[in-house]
Amino acid sequence: MKLLPLAALVLFVASGAFAQDVGGMGPKLGQDEVKPPAATASVRELLSKGYEIKAAVPNGGKFVVFLQKDQSAYACEMKSLTASQCGTIN
């Protein structure tokens, strides 16, 4: 009779360990979370930090450029060739 509670405890602990390993929702246990540089930035700053341009779409007389690195994304309004204003999407 003592074996049944022990077996239930082992299954309960093993299922929790398995749930932590499956992942897909953020960083794994013990890894640092990737944090964006700031809530606002420029295209130059983001590119220097390893962000990649994923898309660019016209918006009136300006362009909106979308940049991404890992699970962090920014939308940047290009005011001119050298001036931009970016804000975090997520």
Side-chain angles (χ1 to χ4, degrees):
M1 282 300 205
K2 290 184 179 183
L3 189 56
L4 184 59
L6 180 60
L9 179 64
V10 168
L11 289 174
F12 179 73
V13 172
S15 66
F18 178 73
Q20 288 181 0
D21 190 41
V22 172
M25 298 292 290
K28 292 190 181 215
L29 196 61
Q31 290 181 337
D32 292 333
E33 185 175 349
V34 177
K35 294 183 181 175
T40 59
S42 69
V43 172
R44 176 185 292 179
E45 293 170 9
L46 294 171
L47 289 173
S48 71
K49 295 197 182 289
Y51 281 77
E52 296 178 354
I53 296 174
K54 295 295 183 176
V57 293
N59 183 19
K62 302 176 183 177
F63 275 88
V64 177
V65 179
F66 296 92
L67 295 98
Q68 182 181 3
K69 178 181 176 186
D70 299 324
Q71 294 187 10
S72 174
Y74 281 82
C76 303
E77 181 182 66
M78 300 298 297
K79 297 179 179 181
S80 69
L81 286 176
T82 58
S84 63
Q85 181 178 356
C86 302
T88 185
I89 294 175
N90 52 351

